[in-house]
Amino acid sequence: MIILTPGTVTLDQLRDLWSGAPARLADSALTAIDIAAAAVDRVVASGKTVYGINTGFGLLAQTRIPAAQLADLQRNLILSHSCGLGDPLPRNTVRMMIILKLIGLGRGHSGVRRDVIDALQALLDADAMPLIPSQGSVGASGDLAPLAHLVAALMGEGRIDLGGEIIPAAAALSRMGRDPLVLAPKEGLALINGTQASTAIALDALFLGTRVFDAAIHAGAMSVDALKGSCAPFDERIHALRGQPGQIAVAAWMRDLLDGSDIVTSHHECDRVQDPYSFRCQPQVMGASLDLLTNAARTLTIEANAVTDNPILFPDADEVISGGNFHAQPVAFAADIIAMALCEVGSISERRTSVLVDPHMSHLPAFLTDDGGLNSGLMIPQVTAAALVSENKGLAFPASVDSIPTSAGQEDHVSMAPIAARKAVTIARNAAGVIAIELISAAQGVDYHAPVKTSPKLQAVHAKVRSLSPHLETDRYWADEMAALQAAVLAGEIGA
């Protein structure tokens, strides 16, 4: 059980939560929640006109709503904003949205009651994930449509995936022994304003991406041995002179993975001067990607702990301030950076595969198969890798540079963070496929050097590859093996 202490949740905890660890809001947060809810009650009783509490929304913010209609105001807000389209978000992404919303509300600046916290917690405890369409948010004013679908489920509207069974939300709540949630003043806006959908999707891209990155490092090292490539470019003195931290780390990683390789020793005195860039520049390219992923992780960890709804309540002064923390530009930039980093991880991997299957470059059998001509070997898997890389190039164009006015011009600049994040997830999955193909190619190349062996650490990677894709003797059906290795990469089973 991970206890969520708002403002201090770490990246490691977020990764564990993404992997399914149970979560509960810390009891220490409940006092701040109660204080903020009481402040909302005082504001309502004062008769002041305050945005989000007793006014309309967006362009209609100047419209004062009578006290007798405040409950209808919140319900109408949720129903009208539940207008997403597209395939439902994955269950683990919805789960992360709920967790992030609990963290944000738990800071005590949103003005919701404990009833709301209990309702969100009940979804986690029952493994009840609302079906939330993936399209419909532009990342400001918050992720309105996705979060509205989340809240609508708490109200008995829409559908819920209850432990794998998709049923009407009202029926799911009944099975859970819960009544539909009735929202109090400000609660609807507090729940649907925020960047939790964008951040949850971006965290999915980040955590998938780190697994892809790890696998790519191991695939790249094994490809060096398959090529009988040089370890000299990984000399720590080279990388210390440049000083880039990611580059230094990747070079050290490559040295460690290749340590003890008999293949390296077998060609120590060869006359080859230089290897192709995709082999010898791995620290420079992969290191730069590592630095970008690290920076994105820092941004997303901050955002996961942030108060991003609007207006923001300061209970000590009974003050409600309308700002713009719902604008997800930091998340959009982070997601686009993840996308670009992973695009390059896949790109350089495909180039190594291309070298290995080319007999003029690798000095291995053409397409890594015996009896070429009769057998095509890894000819077309390399084409698949090239197709995935090219698809990723198109997807990597930043969504964050786009904007479009909404809400009759009131919301005239938006972040496109959820679009950036969804693209980053797709790029991560495509890159995993590219790495899978390199793993097959590198393992086949290493096989041609038998009985000389690769390093002990790379032997373990080789064995994992061979458990899913046996040595190629003659042409066979490839798709299932490639998909199995892609899944292994995404599951963190290659070079964890």
Side-chain angles (χ1 to χ4, degrees):
M1 176 68 70
I2 293 179
I3 303 301
L4 306 172
T5 302
T8 66
V9 179
T10 67
L11 181 66
D12 285 342
Q13 288 177 317
L14 290 169
R15 184 182 290 106
D16 289 342
L17 292 164
W18 174 76
S19 298
R24 178 170 292 279
L25 190 65
D27 290 341
S28 58
L30 297 178
T31 299
I33 289 168
D34 291 341
I35 291 172
V40 172
D41 291 340
R42 290 193 296 273
V43 170
V44 172
S46 72
K48 295 178 184 177
T49 300
V50 179
Y51 173 69
I53 295 180
N54 51 18
T55 71
F57 309 102
L59 190 67
L60 305 176
Q62 306 305 318
T63 304
R64 173 68 183 261
I65 308 300
Q69 295 181 311
L70 293 184
D72 290 339
L73 173 68
Q74 299 301 313
R75 179 174 177 80
N76 289 347
L77 172 69
I78 302 304
L79 296 179
S80 66
H81 286 53
S82 298
C83 56
L85 291 172
D87 295 333
L89 291 171
R91 294 181 102 259
N92 69 326
T93 299
V94 175
R95 186 174 183 276
M96 184 64 81
M97 286 173 60
I98 297 168
I99 290 168
L100 296 180
K101 183 53 78 173
L102 281 171
I103 295 170
L105 297 176
R107 295 284 297 273
H109 291 276
S110 302
V112 303
R113 299 160 298 148
R114 288 198 192 192
D115 290 354
V116 173
I117 303 300
D118 291 343
L120 290 168
Q121 184 66 52
L123 293 179
L124 294 180
D125 294 344
D127 191 29
M129 299 296 113
L131 260 64
I132 299 177
S134 56
Q135 295 173 300
S137 174
V138 293
S141 162
D143 293 311
L144 294 172
L147 290 169
H149 282 279
L150 170 60
V151 182
L154 297 175
M155 297 163 50
E157 302 287 347
R159 293 180 294 165
I160 289 178
D161 182 339
L162 184 59
E165 181 184 3
I166 298 173
I167 58 176
L173 293 176
S174 178
R175 286 194 199 177
M176 295 162 58
R178 297 197 60 85
D179 294 326
L181 180 65
V182 178
L183 298 172
K186 195 185 181 297
E187 289 180 340
L189 200 57
L191 285 164
I192 68 170
N193 258 185
T195 64
Q196 286 79 24
S198 296
T199 305
I201 302 168
L203 285 169
D204 190 36
L206 175 69
F207 295 142
L208 287 174
T210 55
R211 290 176 173 180
V212 171
F213 184 90
D214 288 353
I217 292 289
H218 289 74
M222 191 157 61
S223 288
V224 170
D225 254 1
L227 186 69
K228 288 191 173 181
S230 174
C231 291
F234 311 136
D235 189 305
E236 63 182 319
R237 294 170 295 179
I238 296 173
H239 308 287
L241 286 173
R242 193 175 202 181
Q244 295 289 353
Q247 178 177 328
I248 292 170
V250 170
W253 204 349
M254 297 296 288
R255 293 194 302 272
D256 180 63
L257 288 173
L258 288 162
D259 184 46
S261 169
D262 293 336
I263 296 175
V264 169
T265 305
S266 72
H267 63 90
H268 188 68
E269 302 297 331
C270 74
D271 57 1
R272 179 181 291 175
V273 177
Q274 291 182 335
D275 296 325
Y277 288 0
S278 57
F279 288 78
R280 63 183 163 110
C281 294
Q282 289 185 73
Q284 289 80 1
V285 176
M286 296 294 286
S289 294
L290 177 58
D291 286 337
L292 289 181
L293 292 173
T294 301
N295 291 336
R298 182 171 58 249
T299 295
L300 295 178
T301 303
I302 293 170
E303 194 73 7
N305 284 281
V307 178
T308 58
D309 59 286
N310 186 66
I312 292 176
L313 182 66
F314 295 91
D316 291 347
D318 283 356
E319 193 170 1
V320 184
I321 301 178
S322 209
N325 280 3
F326 51 72
H327 200 296
Q329 200 70 41
V331 181
F333 283 147
D336 278 336
I337 286 170
I338 292 168
M340 288 186 281
L342 295 179
C343 185
E344 284 305 289
V345 168
S347 177
I348 195 171
S349 169
E350 182 276 329
R351 288 292 81 202
R352 290 191 296 268
T353 297
S354 179
V355 168
L356 292 179
V357 302
D358 184 343
H360 303 292
M361 297 290 288
S362 68
H363 305 292
L364 294 167
F367 304 110
L368 302 173
T369 186
D370 297 322
D371 201 5
L374 175 64
N375 292 305
S376 295
L378 284 153
M379 178 190 297
I380 305 305
Q382 185 270 327
V383 175
T384 298
L388 291 170
V389 166
S390 287
E391 182 177 328
N392 277 356
K393 290 174 186 177
L395 290 169
F397 185 87
S400 56
V401 300
D402 185 25
S403 182
I404 190 168
T406 62
S407 193
Q410 176 75 3
E411 297 157 8
D412 60 347
H413 183 277
V414 298
S415 72
M416 301 300 181
I419 297 170
R422 293 203 319 274
K423 291 199 296 114
V425 170
T426 301
I427 287 173
R429 294 186 177 279
N430 286 347
V434 177
I435 304 307
I437 293 166
E438 183 187 1
L439 286 165
I440 294 172
S441 303
Q444 189 76 3
V446 165
D447 288 348
Y448 279 113
H449 303 316
V452 184
K453 295 182 179 180
T454 186
S455 71
K457 290 183 178 178
L458 291 177
Q459 286 178 45
V461 177
H462 181 276
K464 177 63 179 179
V465 174
R466 285 292 172 244
S467 71
L468 298 172
S469 178
H471 176 79
L472 179 65
E473 300 287 352
T474 186
D475 281 348
R476 62 176 185 254
Y477 187 82
W478 275 119
D480 291 346
E481 296 174 28
M482 288 163 48
L485 266 169
Q486 180 184 35
V489 170
L490 292 170
E493 296 173 5
I494 307 293

